[in-house]
PDB file of all heavy atoms in Angstrom:
ATOM      1  N   LYS A 509     103.382 115.475 109.558  1.00  0.00           N
ATOM      2  CA  LYS A 509     102.564 116.588 109.064  1.00  0.00           C
ATOM      3  C   LYS A 509     103.432 117.707 108.509  1.00  0.00           C
ATOM      4  O   LYS A 509     103.039 118.411 107.575  1.00  0.00           O
ATOM      5  CB  LYS A 509     101.671 117.112 110.186  1.00  0.00           C
ATOM      6  CG  LYS A 509     100.613 116.111 110.653  1.00  0.00           C
ATOM      7  CD  LYS A 509      99.805 116.666 111.811  1.00  0.00           C
ATOM      8  CE  LYS A 509      98.775 115.653 112.290  1.00  0.00           C
ATOM      9  NZ  LYS A 509      98.005 116.159 113.457  1.00  0.00           N
ATOM     10  N   ARG A 510     104.621 117.882 109.075  1.00  0.00           N
ATOM     11  CA  ARG A 510     105.524 118.914 108.577  1.00  0.00           C
ATOM     12  C   ARG A 510     106.158 118.516 107.252  1.00  0.00           C
ATOM     13  O   ARG A 510     106.348 119.340 106.354  1.00  0.00           O
ATOM     14  CB  ARG A 510     106.628 119.178 109.599  1.00  0.00           C
ATOM     15  CG  ARG A 510     106.124 119.747 110.926  1.00  0.00           C
ATOM     16  CD  ARG A 510     107.240 119.816 111.952  1.00  0.00           C
ATOM     17  NE  ARG A 510     106.757 120.340 113.206  1.00  0.00           N
ATOM     18  CZ  ARG A 510     106.990 119.797 114.393  1.00  0.00           C
ATOM     19  NH1 ARG A 510     107.705 118.683 114.476  1.00  0.00           N
ATOM     20  NH2 ARG A 510     106.515 120.344 115.492  1.00  0.00           N
ATOM     21  N   VAL A 511     106.485 117.230 107.141  1.00  0.00           N
ATOM     22  CA  VAL A 511     107.185 116.736 105.954  1.00  0.00           C
ATOM     23  C   VAL A 511     106.220 116.445 104.815  1.00  0.00           C
ATOM     24  O   VAL A 511     106.561 116.611 103.636  1.00  0.00           O
ATOM     25  CB  VAL A 511     107.995 115.475 106.320  1.00  0.00           C
ATOM     26  CG1 VAL A 511     108.574 114.813 105.075  1.00  0.00           C
ATOM     27  CG2 VAL A 511     109.112 115.828 107.295  1.00  0.00           C
ATOM     28  N   MET A 512     105.004 116.013 105.158  1.00  0.00           N
ATOM     29  CA  MET A 512     104.015 115.621 104.152  1.00  0.00           C
ATOM     30  C   MET A 512     102.740 116.434 104.333  1.00  0.00           C
ATOM     31  O   MET A 512     101.707 115.915 104.758  1.00  0.00           O
ATOM     32  CB  MET A 512     103.716 114.125 104.277  1.00  0.00           C
ATOM     33  CG  MET A 512     104.952 113.248 104.235  1.00  0.00           C
ATOM     34  SD  MET A 512     104.605 111.516 104.637  1.00  0.00           S
ATOM     35  CE  MET A 512     106.268 110.887 104.875  1.00  0.00           C
ATOM     36  N   PRO A 513     102.797 117.740 104.016  1.00  0.00           N
ATOM     37  CA  PRO A 513     101.636 118.601 104.252  1.00  0.00           C
ATOM     38  C   PRO A 513     100.469 118.318 103.309  1.00  0.00           C
ATOM     39  O   PRO A 513      99.351 118.742 103.562  1.00  0.00           O
ATOM     40  CB  PRO A 513     102.190 120.010 104.040  1.00  0.00           C
ATOM     41  CG  PRO A 513     103.353 119.814 103.130  1.00  0.00           C
ATOM     42  CD  PRO A 513     103.945 118.493 103.495  1.00  0.00           C
ATOM     43  N   GLY A 514     100.718 117.620 102.214  1.00  0.00           N
ATOM     44  CA  GLY A 514      99.668 117.262 101.275  1.00  0.00           C
ATOM     45  C   GLY A 514     100.021 115.968 100.582  1.00  0.00           C
ATOM     46  O   GLY A 514     101.148 115.474 100.665  1.00  0.00           O
ATOM     47  N   GLN A 515      99.049 115.386  99.868  1.00  0.00           N
ATOM     48  CA  GLN A 515      99.275 114.094  99.225  1.00  0.00           C
ATOM     49  C   GLN A 515     100.393 114.148  98.191  1.00  0.00           C
ATOM     50  O   GLN A 515     101.050 113.138  97.943  1.00  0.00           O
ATOM     51  CB  GLN A 515      97.984 113.614  98.563  1.00  0.00           C
ATOM     52  CG  GLN A 515      96.909 113.169  99.552  1.00  0.00           C
ATOM     53  CD  GLN A 515      95.706 112.567  98.845  1.00  0.00           C
ATOM     54  OE1 GLN A 515      95.502 112.785  97.657  1.00  0.00           O
ATOM     55  NE2 GLN A 515      94.918 111.814  99.584  1.00  0.00           N
ATOM     56  N   ALA A 516     100.579 115.290  97.584  1.00  0.00           N
ATOM     57  CA  ALA A 516     101.556 115.389  96.495  1.00  0.00           C
ATOM     58  C   ALA A 516     102.873 116.008  96.939  1.00  0.00           C
ATOM     59  O   ALA A 516     103.653 116.467  96.106  1.00  0.00           O
ATOM     60  CB  ALA A 516     100.965 116.192  95.340  1.00  0.00           C
ATOM     61  N   GLN A 517     103.154 116.052  98.231  1.00  0.00           N
ATOM     62  CA  GLN A 517     104.370 116.702  98.704  1.00  0.00           C
ATOM     63  C   GLN A 517     105.025 115.882  99.807  1.00  0.00           C
ATOM     64  O   GLN A 517     104.378 115.497 100.788  1.00  0.00           O
ATOM     65  CB  GLN A 517     104.060 118.110  99.221  1.00  0.00           C
ATOM     66  CG  GLN A 517     105.304 118.930  99.540  1.00  0.00           C
ATOM     67  CD  GLN A 517     104.966 120.369  99.868  1.00  0.00           C
ATOM     68  OE1 GLN A 517     103.808 120.723 100.009  1.00  0.00           O
ATOM     69  NE2 GLN A 517     105.978 121.201  99.996  1.00  0.00           N
ATOM     70  N   VAL A 518     106.297 115.590  99.646  1.00  0.00           N
ATOM     71  CA  VAL A 518     107.127 114.963 100.683  1.00  0.00           C
ATOM     72  C   VAL A 518     108.457 115.701 100.655  1.00  0.00           C
ATOM     73  O   VAL A 518     109.257 115.543  99.730  1.00  0.00           O
ATOM     74  CB  VAL A 518     107.338 113.460 100.441  1.00  0.00           C
ATOM     75  CG1 VAL A 518     108.169 112.860 101.574  1.00  0.00           C
ATOM     76  CG2 VAL A 518     106.014 112.728 100.311  1.00  0.00           C
ATOM     77  N   ARG A 519     108.702 116.522 101.651  1.00  0.00           N
ATOM     78  CA  ARG A 519     109.886 117.383 101.657  1.00  0.00           C
ATOM     79  C   ARG A 519     111.168 116.580 101.876  1.00  0.00           C
ATOM     80  O   ARG A 519     111.156 115.518 102.497  1.00  0.00           O
ATOM     81  CB  ARG A 519     109.749 118.436 102.753  1.00  0.00           C
ATOM     82  CG  ARG A 519     108.649 119.468 102.500  1.00  0.00           C
ATOM     83  CD  ARG A 519     108.703 120.573 103.544  1.00  0.00           C
ATOM     84  NE  ARG A 519     107.844 121.694 103.174  1.00  0.00           N
ATOM     85  CZ  ARG A 519     106.651 121.942 103.705  1.00  0.00           C
ATOM     86  NH1 ARG A 519     106.172 121.124 104.639  1.00  0.00           N
ATOM     87  NH2 ARG A 519     105.934 122.974 103.315  1.00  0.00           N
ATOM     88  N   PRO A 520     112.308 117.123 101.424  1.00  0.00           N
ATOM     89  CA  PRO A 520     113.591 116.512 101.771  1.00  0.00           C
ATOM     90  C   PRO A 520     113.780 116.553 103.290  1.00  0.00           C
ATOM     91  O   PRO A 520     113.378 117.520 103.947  1.00  0.00           O
ATOM     92  CB  PRO A 520     114.611 117.409 101.062  1.00  0.00           C
ATOM     93  CG  PRO A 520     113.832 118.162 100.035  1.00  0.00           C
ATOM     94  CD  PRO A 520     112.455 118.320 100.580  1.00  0.00           C
ATOM     95  N   THR A 521     114.398 115.530 103.840  1.00  0.00           N
ATOM     96  CA  THR A 521     114.553 115.427 105.292  1.00  0.00           C
ATOM     97  C   THR A 521     115.981 115.063 105.658  1.00  0.00           C
ATOM     98  O   THR A 521     116.783 114.674 104.806  1.00  0.00           O
ATOM     99  CB  THR A 521     113.616 114.345 105.870  1.00  0.00           C
ATOM    100  OG1 THR A 521     113.917 113.089 105.244  1.00  0.00           O
ATOM    101  CG2 THR A 521     112.157 114.690 105.637  1.00  0.00           C
ATOM    102  N   PHE A 522     116.294 115.196 106.950  1.00  0.00           N
ATOM    103  CA  PHE A 522     117.535 114.613 107.445  1.00  0.00           C
ATOM    104  C   PHE A 522     117.231 113.748 108.661  1.00  0.00           C
ATOM    105  O   PHE A 522     116.296 114.008 109.418  1.00  0.00           O
ATOM    106  CB  PHE A 522     118.607 115.667 107.741  1.00  0.00           C
ATOM    107  CG  PHE A 522     118.253 116.699 108.781  1.00  0.00           C
ATOM    108  CD1 PHE A 522     118.449 116.435 110.131  1.00  0.00           C
ATOM    109  CD2 PHE A 522     117.769 117.945 108.414  1.00  0.00           C
ATOM    110  CE1 PHE A 522     118.163 117.392 111.102  1.00  0.00           C
ATOM    111  CE2 PHE A 522     117.474 118.912 109.359  1.00  0.00           C
ATOM    112  CZ  PHE A 522     117.665 118.631 110.717  1.00  0.00           C
ATOM    113  N   LEU A 523     118.013 112.687 108.788  1.00  0.00           N
ATOM    114  CA  LEU A 523     117.859 111.721 109.877  1.00  0.00           C
ATOM    115  C   LEU A 523     118.939 111.949 110.921  1.00  0.00           C
ATOM    116  O   LEU A 523     120.113 112.160 110.587  1.00  0.00           O
ATOM    117  CB  LEU A 523     117.965 110.285 109.355  1.00  0.00           C
ATOM    118  CG  LEU A 523     117.062 109.857 108.197  1.00  0.00           C
ATOM    119  CD1 LEU A 523     117.332 108.392 107.856  1.00  0.00           C
ATOM    120  CD2 LEU A 523     115.597 110.078 108.532  1.00  0.00           C
ATOM    121  N   VAL A 524     118.541 111.897 112.179  1.00  0.00           N
ATOM    122  CA  VAL A 524     119.467 111.884 113.309  1.00  0.00           C
ATOM    123  C   VAL A 524     119.087 110.686 114.164  1.00  0.00           C
ATOM    124  O   VAL A 524     117.920 110.529 114.526  1.00  0.00           O
ATOM    125  CB  VAL A 524     119.382 113.194 114.123  1.00  0.00           C
ATOM    126  CG1 VAL A 524     120.250 113.086 115.380  1.00  0.00           C
ATOM    127  CG2 VAL A 524     119.829 114.385 113.277  1.00  0.00           C
ATOM    128  N   ASP A 525     120.069 109.840 114.468  1.00  0.00           N
ATOM    129  CA  ASP A 525     119.813 108.590 115.187  1.00  0.00           C
ATOM    130  C   ASP A 525     118.716 107.785 114.491  1.00  0.00           C
ATOM    131  O   ASP A 525     117.884 107.147 115.129  1.00  0.00           O
ATOM    132  CB  ASP A 525     119.434 108.863 116.645  1.00  0.00           C
ATOM    133  CG  ASP A 525     119.457 107.594 117.502  1.00  0.00           C
ATOM    134  OD1 ASP A 525     120.201 106.660 117.148  1.00  0.00           O
ATOM    135  OD2 ASP A 525     118.706 107.534 118.502  1.00  0.00           O
ATOM    136  N   GLY A 526     118.715 107.826 113.181  1.00  0.00           N
ATOM    137  CA  GLY A 526     117.835 106.962 112.409  1.00  0.00           C
ATOM    138  C   GLY A 526     116.420 107.464 112.193  1.00  0.00           C
ATOM    139  O   GLY A 526     115.632 106.791 111.525  1.00  0.00           O
ATOM    140  N   ARG A 527     116.087 108.634 112.727  1.00  0.00           N
ATOM    141  CA  ARG A 527     114.722 109.137 112.603  1.00  0.00           C
ATOM    142  C   ARG A 527     114.720 110.549 112.029  1.00  0.00           C
ATOM    143  O   ARG A 527     115.700 111.294 112.163  1.00  0.00           O
ATOM    144  CB  ARG A 527     114.011 109.130 113.963  1.00  0.00           C
ATOM    145  CG  ARG A 527     113.814 107.727 114.545  1.00  0.00           C
ATOM    146  CD  ARG A 527     113.111 107.782 115.886  1.00  0.00           C
ATOM    147  NE  ARG A 527     111.804 108.427 115.783  1.00  0.00           N
ATOM    148  CZ  ARG A 527     110.706 107.812 115.348  1.00  0.00           C
ATOM    149  NH1 ARG A 527     110.745 106.548 114.964  1.00  0.00           N
ATOM    150  NH2 ARG A 527     109.548 108.462 115.306  1.00  0.00           N
ATOM    151  N   VAL A 528     113.616 110.914 111.383  1.00  0.00           N
ATOM    152  CA  VAL A 528     113.500 112.258 110.830  1.00  0.00           C
ATOM    153  C   VAL A 528     113.618 113.279 111.951  1.00  0.00           C
ATOM    154  O   VAL A 528     112.895 113.221 112.947  1.00  0.00           O
ATOM    155  CB  VAL A 528     112.154 112.428 110.089  1.00  0.00           C
ATOM    156  CG1 VAL A 528     111.937 113.897 109.714  1.00  0.00           C
ATOM    157  CG2 VAL A 528     112.119 111.547 108.839  1.00  0.00           C
ATOM    158  N   HIS A 529     114.538 114.209 111.778  1.00  0.00           N
ATOM    159  CA  HIS A 529     114.787 115.243 112.801  1.00  0.00           C
ATOM    160  C   HIS A 529     114.570 116.639 112.231  1.00  0.00           C
ATOM    161  O   HIS A 529     114.559 117.620 112.973  1.00  0.00           O
ATOM    162  CB  HIS A 529     116.213 115.111 113.323  1.00  0.00           C
ATOM    163  CG  HIS A 529     116.450 115.783 114.635  1.00  0.00           C
ATOM    164  ND1 HIS A 529     116.425 115.111 115.841  1.00  0.00           N
ATOM    165  CD2 HIS A 529     116.719 117.077 114.939  1.00  0.00           C
ATOM    166  CE1 HIS A 529     116.671 115.959 116.833  1.00  0.00           C
ATOM    167  NE2 HIS A 529     116.847 117.161 116.309  1.00  0.00           N
ATOM    168  N   GLY A 530     114.428 116.735 110.911  1.00  0.00           N
ATOM    169  CA  GLY A 530     114.232 118.031 110.298  1.00  0.00           C
ATOM    170  C   GLY A 530     114.130 117.910 108.792  1.00  0.00           C
ATOM    171  O   GLY A 530     114.164 116.810 108.226  1.00  0.00           O
ATOM    172  N   SER A 531     113.993 119.062 108.136  1.00  0.00           N
ATOM    173  CA  SER A 531     113.908 119.101 106.682  1.00  0.00           C
ATOM    174  C   SER A 531     115.009 120.018 106.143  1.00  0.00           C
ATOM    175  O   SER A 531     115.665 120.738 106.898  1.00  0.00           O
ATOM    176  CB  SER A 531     112.534 119.597 106.228  1.00  0.00           C
ATOM    177  OG  SER A 531     112.317 120.933 106.661  1.00  0.00           O
ATOM    178  N   TRP A 532     115.210 119.969 104.836  1.00  0.00           N
ATOM    179  CA  TRP A 532     116.207 120.832 104.224  1.00  0.00           C
ATOM    180  C   TRP A 532     115.728 121.272 102.849  1.00  0.00           C
ATOM    181  O   TRP A 532     114.818 120.680 102.268  1.00  0.00           O
ATOM    182  CB  TRP A 532     117.575 120.154 104.127  1.00  0.00           C
ATOM    183  CG  TRP A 532     117.633 118.909 103.271  1.00  0.00           C
ATOM    184  CD1 TRP A 532     117.387 117.620 103.667  1.00  0.00           C
ATOM    185  CD2 TRP A 532     117.978 118.840 101.881  1.00  0.00           C
ATOM    186  NE1 TRP A 532     117.545 116.750 102.620  1.00  0.00           N
ATOM    187  CE2 TRP A 532     117.912 117.474 101.505  1.00  0.00           C
ATOM    188  CE3 TRP A 532     118.333 119.784 100.918  1.00  0.00           C
ATOM    189  CZ2 TRP A 532     118.186 117.027 100.212  1.00  0.00           C
ATOM    190  CZ3 TRP A 532     118.605 119.353  99.618  1.00  0.00           C
ATOM    191  CH2 TRP A 532     118.540 117.994  99.283  1.00  0.00           C
ATOM    192  N   SER A 533     116.352 122.333 102.343  1.00  0.00           N
ATOM    193  CA  SER A 533     116.022 122.811 101.008  1.00  0.00           C
ATOM    194  C   SER A 533     117.215 123.569 100.450  1.00  0.00           C
ATOM    195  O   SER A 533     118.087 124.016 101.193  1.00  0.00           O
ATOM    196  CB  SER A 533     114.787 123.713 101.047  1.00  0.00           C
ATOM    197  OG  SER A 533     115.033 124.866 101.856  1.00  0.00           O
TER     198      SER A 533
END
Side-chain angles (χ1 to χ4, degrees):
K509 294 177 181 178
R510 296 173 181 132
V511 172
M512 307 171 193
Q515 289 186 341
Q517 189 172 8
V518 182
R519 292 187 169 103
T521 58
F522 60 85
L523 307 180
V524 174
D525 192 26
R527 296 180 59 80
V528 171
H529 199 98
S531 63
W532 62 272
S533 62

